[in-house]
C-alpha cells in the first residue's frame, strides 16, 4: 500500500494547504531503515500566527455558534472516515514510528469509537441551576468553551494521542491547532486530510509542523491561544508551564513516567509475566505508562524471572512491516543512544543488564535495541529513577507489603502502577496508598478514551479522556438574575 503522499507535506492553515513561509523543509525518517521517508514543510513564526488567527476567526464566526447536534454530526462523520482510512494510517505509523503493523492496527482500533464517544457526550456539556438563599434570585451555571486550543503531541503514539485530545476539544466547542512531533508528523497529516471531507468549516482544525523550540514555543505563548494541552517529557512540560504562566493560560500536561509493576507471592504469575513482557516490548518500551520498575517479592523472584526470561528469549525483533515481528526499532538515533547510555549507567551503578531475543536480518540498519532487564537493581539507582523510554526494565526485590508500597512511591513520577495479588484487602490497601493517576490490579494499564487519565506528581497536571476531558476543555460561568426587578 502506497501511503506516503506527494511531498513535501504542507501546513494546514485555515482553508489552505500552504508551504512554510520561508520554504524550509525537514526530513522525517523510517526508523527501521534509518532512511528518509518524507519531507515536511516547516512553519515559521508567521505561519503559527496565521494558524492561530484562522482558528480564532473560525471560533468567532462559526464554531462557537454551532449547536451540539451539528458538532456531533461532524465528529461522527470524522469517525466514519477514520474507520475507512484506519489501515492506511496504521501503515503510516508503522513506517514513521517503527511500530509493528499488528500493533499499529490494534492501537488505532478504538479511534472511531473515541470520536463517536465525544460526539455522544456533547449534550452532557451543560450547566445547572443552584438553589441559592434568595427566592428571587435565579442562579445558574454555563459551561463554555475556552476558544483556541494548542494541542502538542510527542512521537510515540501520534494518532491516538491526537484523537484523544482533538475529540473533546472540538466536542466542547473549541477550535484547535495541532502541532505533531517533528519526529513523527505523517499520520497527523493523513488525519488532517479528513477534516475538509468530513465537512468541518475551515480554520476549526489547523496543523503546523516544526521544532518545539520555535513552532511549539510560538504557539503556546500566542496571546489568542487560551488552552494548551501538551503530552511529552516532564522537562518540556515544565518549560511550557513557565512560558504560559504570565498569560495564566489553561494548561493540561501529560508527562513522563517510571511506573512500577508489583508482583506479590500469591500473584497469577503467568499473567504478571505477560504484562511485564508486554510493557517491555510494546512500541519498543516507548510508552509513557509502561511499567519499567519490576518490584518482585523475594519469595517468587526466581520463579517470576525464570518465566519472564523464557518469554523474552522468544521475542522477534525485526522489521515492523512483518506481521510476525514482536518488536520494531526505537524511533530515532537519539533515542537509541539515550537508551544505550542508560544501560551503561545501570551497569556502572552495579545493576546487571541482560538482553534477550535477536535482531533479525536486514533490519539491523535501523535504530534497534533488544529487550533488556536490569537485574539486581536498587530503587535509588539513576537507571531505576529516571525515565529511559525504551525496552528496559529495572528488576528490584521486596520483602513485604509495606516495603512494596514504599518502593512503588519512591519516584518523582506518578503516572500508573500495576499490582498482582489475589489478596483483595492488600490490593485495595495498595491501590489507596500508591501515588499515581492510574492503578491496575491483576491486569495491565490500558488507557481507554472513556476513562479519565492523567498523572500525579511530576507526571502531569489535569486529566484527559472521559467526561473529565470535557471539563478540561471548558470553563464554568456563574450567572445570577434578580427576578424581582
Ligand atoms: P518532548 O517533550 O521532547 O516533545 C513533545 C512535543 O513538544 C513535540 O511536539 C515537541 O516539538 C514539542 N515541544 C518541545 N519543546 C517545546 C516548547 N518549548 N514549547 C512547545 N512545544 C515544545 O517529548 P517526546 O520526546 O516527543 O516524547 C516522549 C515523552 O513523552 C516521554 O517523556 C513520555 O513519557 C511522554 N509521554 C507522556 C504521555 C502521557 O500521557 N503522560 C504519553 C506519551 C508520551
Amino acid at each position: 500500500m502506497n501511503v506516503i503522499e506527494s511531498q513535501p507535506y504542507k501546513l494546514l492553515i485555515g482553508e489552505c494547504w500552504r508551504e512554510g513561509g520561508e520554504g524550509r523543509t525537514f526530513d522525517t525518517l523510517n526508523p527501521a531503515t534509518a532512511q528518509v521517508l518524507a519531507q515536511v514543510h516547516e512553519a515559521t513564526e508567521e505561519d503559527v500566527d496565521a494558524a492561530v488567527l484562522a482558528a480564532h476567526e473560525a471560533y468567532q464566526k462559526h464554531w462557537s455558534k454551532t449547536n451540539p447536534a451539528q458538532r456531533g454530526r461532524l465528529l461522527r462523520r470524522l469517525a466514519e472516515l477514520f474507520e475507512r482510512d484506519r489501515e492506511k494510517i496504521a501503515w503510516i505509523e508503522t513506517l514513521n514510528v517503527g511500530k509493528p503493523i499488528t500493533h499499529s492496527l490494534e492501537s488505532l482500533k478504538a479511534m472511531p469509537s473515541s470520536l463517536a464517544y465525544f460526539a455522544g457526550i456533547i449534550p452532557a456539556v451543560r450547566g445547572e441551576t443552584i438553589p441559592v438563599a434568595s427566592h428571587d434570585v435565579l442562579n445558574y451555571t454555563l459551561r463554555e468553551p475556552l476558544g483556541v486550543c494548542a494541542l502538542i503531541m510527542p512521537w510515540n503514539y501520534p494518532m491516538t494521542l491526537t484523537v484523544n485530545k482533538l475529540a473533546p476539544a472540538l466536542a466542547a466547542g473549541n477550535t484547535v491547532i495541532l502541532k505533531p512531533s517533528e519526529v513523527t508528523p505523517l499520520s497527523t497529516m493523513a488525519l488532517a486530510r479528513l477534516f475538509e471531507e468530513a465537512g468541518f468549516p475551515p480554520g476549526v482544525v489547523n496543523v503546523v509542523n516544526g521544532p518545539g523550540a520555535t513552532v511549539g514555543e510560538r504557539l503556546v505563548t500566542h496571546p489568542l491561544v487560551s488552552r494548551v494541552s501538551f503530552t511529552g517529557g516532564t522537562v518540556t512540560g515544565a518549560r511550557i508551564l513557565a512560558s504560559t504562566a504570565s498569560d495564566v493560560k489553561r494548561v493540561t500536561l501529560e508527562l513522563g513516567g517510571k511506573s512500577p509493576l508489583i508482583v506479590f507471592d500469591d500473584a497469577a504469575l503467568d499473567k504478571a509475566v505477560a504484562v511485564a513482557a508486554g510493557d517491555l516490548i510494546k512500541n519498543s518500551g516507548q510508552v509513557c505508562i509502561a511499567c519499567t520498575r519490576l518490584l518482585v517479592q523475594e519469595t517468587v523472584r526466581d520463579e517470576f524471572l525464570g518465566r519472564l526470561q523464557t518469554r523474552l528469549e522468544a521475542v522477534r525483533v525485526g522489521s515492523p512491516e512483518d506481521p510476525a515481528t514482536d518488536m520494531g526499532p526505537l524511533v530515532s538515533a537519539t533515542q537509541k543512544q539515550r537508551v544505550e547510555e542508560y544501560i551503561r549507567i545501570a551497569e556502572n551503578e552495579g545493576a546487571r543488564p541482560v538482553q534477550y531475543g535477536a535482531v533479525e536480518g536486514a533490519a539491523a540498519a535501523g535504530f534497534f535495541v533488544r529487550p533488556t532487564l536490569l537485574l539486581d537493581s536498587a530503587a535509588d539507582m539513576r537507571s531505576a529513577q529516571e525515565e529511559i523510554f525504551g525496552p528496559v526494565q529495572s528488576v528490584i526485590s521486596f520483602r513485604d507489603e509495606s516495603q512494596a508500597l514504599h518502593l512503588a512511591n519512591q519516584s518523582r513520577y506518578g503516572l500508573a502502577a500495576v499490582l498482582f495479588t489475589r489478596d483483595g484487602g492488600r490490593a485495595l490497601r495498595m491501590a489507596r496508598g500508591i501515588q499515581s493517576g492510574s492503578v491496575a490490579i491483576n491486569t495491565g494499564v490500558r488507557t481507554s478514551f472513556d476513562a479519565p487519565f492523567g498523572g500525579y506528581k511530576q507526571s502531569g497536571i489535569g486529566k484527559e479522556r472521559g467526561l473529565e476531558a470535557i471539563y478540561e476543555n471548558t470553563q464554568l460561568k456563574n450567572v445570577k438574575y434578580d427576578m424581582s426587578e
Side-chain angles (χ1 to χ4, degrees), residues 130-139 480-485:
I130 300 165
V132 289
S134 168
H135 185 69
D136 287 335
V137 171
L138 173 66
N139 189 311
K480 67 180 171 185
Y481 181 64
D482 186 343
M483 297 179 288
S484 65
E485 289 304 318

Side-chain angles (χ1 to χ4, degrees), residues 15 49 52 69 71 74 77 93-94 126 132 179 187 263 268 309 313 325 366 428 485:
E15 57 196 342
D49 293 351
V52 174
R71 294 200 298 281
L74 289 171
R77 178 71 186 130
E93 292 229 321
T94 285
R126 61 185 177 203
V132 289
K179 157 57 185 99
S187 52
V263 183
Q309 287 168 323
E313 281 301 353
T325 292
L428 295 176
E485 289 304 318

Side-chain angles (χ1 to χ4, degrees), residues 152-157 161 179-182 210-213 215-217 220 230-234 236-237 239-240 243 254-257 287-288 335 387 389 415 453 459 465:
I152 303 186
M153 273 68 66
W155 44 256
N156 65 332
Y157 280 90
L161 295 171
K179 157 57 185 99
S181 165
E182 58 275 36
V215 175
E217 188 78 26
V220 300
F230 167 81
T231 300
T234 295
T236 318
R239 190 187 160 89
I240 288 175
S243 9
E254 299 288 356
L255 309 177
V287 183
C288 57
Q335 198 59 20
E387 187 184 49
F389 222 53
L415 196 56
F453 174 74
S459 288
R465 311 180 187 218

